[in-house]
Amino acid sequence: TEEGLRAILVQTHGNDDGRGRGRGGKEEDPWSPAAMARRIRSSGAVKRCRIVVGSRDKMSHPTQALRLAEMLGGDDDDDDDGVTSEAGRCVLKVMEGCGHAVPMEAMRLWRGDVLGFLDE
């Protein structure tokens, strides 16, 4: 159920509110997606990245993926394709009609998208 999934996620990342702040004033979990994104961005180790999410993903909703892309250095782009930074640091691609398992649900579309990104 959605309630069960929510309980698992809260237990796993209970101190992360999704915006990089701890819940209830608690210290943020250093392994939360927000904390890891800040470390990756500040390290400069990743020059560019691509986040692929399904439009129907209930585990990693597109709005959460957008927040993660922004934390990694993305800005809004103009082509309704997601976000990208001016330097191309982080790009978000939303695959319409897919859930959480994009590579299995739309394998040819996903493969083409990833290969296109790698060829850039």
Side-chain angles (χ1 to χ4, degrees), residues 5 15 21 26 32 36 68 75 77 80 84 99 103 107-108 118:
L5 177 59
N15 292 335
R21 298 186 304 264
K26 295 180 184 175
S32 71
M36 289 188 291
L68 182 61
D75 298 310
D77 70 7
D80 295 331
T84 184
M107 63 186 83
R108 287 187 177 101
L118 293 174

Side-chain angles (χ1 to χ4, degrees), residues 28-114:
E28 180 185 40
D29 177 356
W31 298 109
S32 71
M36 289 188 291
R38 281 193 301 282
R39 283 197 305 276
I40 290 168
R41 184 174 182 169
S42 67
S43 75
V46 177
K47 302 301 178 206
R48 62 189 196 108
C49 67
R50 185 149 186 100
I51 297 175
V52 180
V53 65
S55 64
R56 294 178 165 181
D57 193 330
K58 296 204 184 251
M59 292 181 70
S60 300
H61 192 272
T63 57
Q64 292 171 319
L66 174 62
R67 241 182 285 155
L68 182 61
E70 290 170 342
M71 285 183 226
L72 288 167
D75 298 310
D76 289 321
D77 70 7
D78 297 328
D79 63 6
D80 295 331
D81 196 20
V83 297
T84 184
S85 69
E86 290 177 16
R89 182 177 180 133
C90 189
V91 177
L92 171 67
K93 174 69 177 181
V94 178
M95 297 285 193
E96 287 302 318
C98 291
H100 190 66
V102 174
M104 292 180 275
E105 296 174 47
M107 63 186 83
R108 287 187 177 101
L109 185 60
W110 174 82
R111 181 181 180 274
D113 182 69
V114 172

